Amino acid sequence: MRRICVLKGDGIGPEVIDCSLAILQKVSDKLEFEYADIGYAAFQKHGNYMPDQTFDLMKRSDSCLLGAVASSERGDYSSPVLRFRKELDLFANVRPVKSIAPSTARGPIDVVIVRENSEGMYTQNEIFDDEGVTTLRRVTRRASERIISFAIRWAHENGRRKVCCVHKSNVLKASDGLFLRTFRELMENQKDLVKEEQLVDSAALKLITDPAAFDVIVTLNLYGDILSDVAAGVAGGLGLAPSGNIGPDHSVFEPVHGSAPDIAGKGIANPTAAILAGAMMLRHLGMDDPAARIENAVSEVYASGHLTQDLGGRHGSRSFTEHVLKALSGAAVRR
Ligand code: ATP
């Protein structure tokens, strides 16, 4: 049995995670789910965005599935996501984006963004003075080596051909320069992988004008955060993009999107990202067959034209999920 910690979270989190759980239960009887509170939902119940019992369960589980956590401007708010990424040492954020839905993009996209998840702009180190605020942005050799090696390994294990380092070393010569130099060194002996480099601004443009040009992108924290939303937009929207936070001992899988308060409670959120996050989690746990079944069923539902409202279709979260369940049962999914 694999023990999964389920963190439904806020906004549309519980709605899309319920869909994902229905699919996971359909493809495997080897998963045991335990539930914990996180985010604003946890704050209301326990007075804490990340209660200790949640953190303990995350540590004891084989993996975690997260819905979404609402961000807050309250003075006492500190992001539980940044906390668990740091304390569970989830140094890699893997964000695959693949065309499965109709989109207005200038070509198909099948890119995996490997984002450094532990430092960069996200160290929350801000120093105030009389005139303003200075934010410290940290880049270390150790974290750069770790994430670039991870991306190289990931490319090998998943049959990818190219790894592109996205940076801004023409301006941030020392910090991004360190990241780029580390990339060049580590790629030197990778004869079966094509080495590419791109400035972050031109990478953003190229993702839109020539999305098929990219294979695996490895990049710093903030760039990866922004570029993965761009890539999701190219593929059709935020409802489609799953992600995994991965470290040596722990992992948390989640949709790239947030809690989407504007559509929460309406039953119209696209659950695809949460369903595919579940499939990513299975792959991470070595359960490739049920993961592939989920991915194929989702593709089949899209190919047959059943779309949620964010993509111009008429389905809500549940009726879309019913079609994925049907596809998993081997029933033809007709329009
Ligand atoms: P948060 O404060 O939690 O980041 P947000 O609304 O600022 O929430 P997102 O949740 O990422 O950020 O949503 C951005 C936009 O994309 C919103 O208009 C939202 O409705 C839409 N959106 C996000 N996820 C989905 C989804 N699964 N299905 C449909 N629309 C979505």
Side-chain angles (χ1 to χ4, degrees):
M1 273 308 209
R2 299 303 194 128
R3 210 171 186 198
I4 309 301
C5 168
V6 180
L7 306 153
K8 295 187 181 183
D10 302 317
I12 61 170
E15 301 168 41
V16 295
I17 289 300
D18 283 345
C19 298
S20 184
L21 292 177
I23 303 293
L24 289 168
Q25 277 157 345
K26 175 86 179 171
V27 297
S28 176
D29 56 7
K30 302 206 161 36
L31 301 170
E32 196 174 78
F33 300 101
E34 288 185 76
Y35 299 83
D37 298 313
I38 194 167
Y40 190 61
F43 182 77
Q44 283 175 309
K45 252 183 167 171
H46 313 280
N48 191 333
Y49 294 92
M50 178 76 177
D52 286 346
Q53 59 266 39
T54 297
F55 202 54
D56 289 344
L57 183 63
M58 291 178 82
K59 282 200 251 181
R60 281 189 279 114
S61 302
D62 292 307
S63 189
C64 308
L65 187 62
L66 168 67
V69 169
S71 43
S72 167
E73 287 173 11
R74 285 175 62 116
D76 59 356
Y77 177 77
S78 71
S79 164
V81 175
L82 290 184
R83 182 177 162 208
F84 73 63
R85 282 178 182 166
K86 187 170 177 192
E87 294 190 25
L88 298 177
D89 196 18
L90 306 176
F91 70 91
N93 194 316
V94 182
R95 298 183 159 195
V97 178
K98 191 173 173 179
S99 307
I100 49 170
S103 92
T104 52
R106 295 205 195 164
I109 187 166
D110 183 3
V111 66
V112 179
I113 297 176
V114 178
R115 162 187 170 197
E116 204 292 315
N117 218 16
S118 68
E119 52 181 34
M121 275 303 235
Y122 290 69
T123 48
Q124 294 186 298
N125 204 340
E126 303 198 301
I127 301 161
F128 293 79
D129 59 36
D130 291 345
E131 288 180 19
V133 188
T134 305
T135 299
L136 294 178
R137 176 178 177 277
R138 185 160 174 79
V139 178
T140 64
R141 176 149 192 111
R142 176 179 173 270
S144 303
E145 268 178 15
R146 202 152 81 136
I147 195 67
I148 294 162
S149 303
F150 179 96
I152 291 171
R153 209 166 48 246
W154 204 94
H156 282 304
E157 287 171 4
N158 291 277
R160 298 286 181 152
R161 284 189 332 97
K162 302 190 281 185
V163 182
C164 179
C165 177
V166 171
H167 62 94
K168 188 73 183 172
S169 71
N170 56 338
V171 176
L172 300 164
K173 290 188 196 313
S175 53
D176 282 27
L178 170 61
F179 191 77
L180 180 60
R181 255 195 337 275
T182 310
F183 173 76
R184 287 178 180 164
E185 284 168 26
L186 291 173
M187 282 296 282
E188 205 162 271
N189 299 321
Q190 302 297 324
K191 301 296 174 223
D192 47 351
L193 289 175
V194 178
K195 172 164 76 72
E196 295 178 333
E197 299 170 6
Q198 188 103 52
L199 293 171
V200 63
D201 40 353
S202 42
L205 177 72
K206 201 166 171 184
L207 270 171
I208 292 166
T209 55
D210 185 15
F214 290 100
D215 195 349
V216 174
I217 289 175
V218 63
T219 190
L220 296 121
N221 208 335
L222 180 63
Y223 307 151
D225 196 6
I226 296 170
L227 289 184
S228 50
D229 272 31
V230 174
V234 168
L238 274 179
L240 296 164
S243 74
N245 301 274
I246 299 173
D249 302 315
H250 303 285
S251 56
V252 178
F253 294 84
E254 58 174 326
V256 166
H257 63 72
S259 64
D262 53 335
I263 57 166
K266 296 184 179 163
I268 58 170
N270 183 348
T272 305
I275 293 171
L276 294 177
M280 268 184 97
M281 179 182 75
L282 295 184
R283 276 196 196 283
H284 182 73
L285 295 171
M287 300 168 75
D288 286 359
D289 289 348
R293 284 185 61 210
I294 296 176
E295 290 156 358
N296 292 338
V298 169
S299 297
E300 192 184 327
V301 171
Y302 274 98
S304 61
H306 290 286
L307 303 177
T308 42
Q309 295 175 26
D310 54 318
L311 299 171
R314 62 186 166 80
H315 283 291
S317 322
R318 281 180 178 213
S319 59
F320 175 85
T321 306
E322 288 303 323
H323 281 290
V324 181
L325 289 167
K326 251 194 225 165
L328 283 168
S329 304
V333 185
R334 296 214 175 78
R335 192 156 191 184

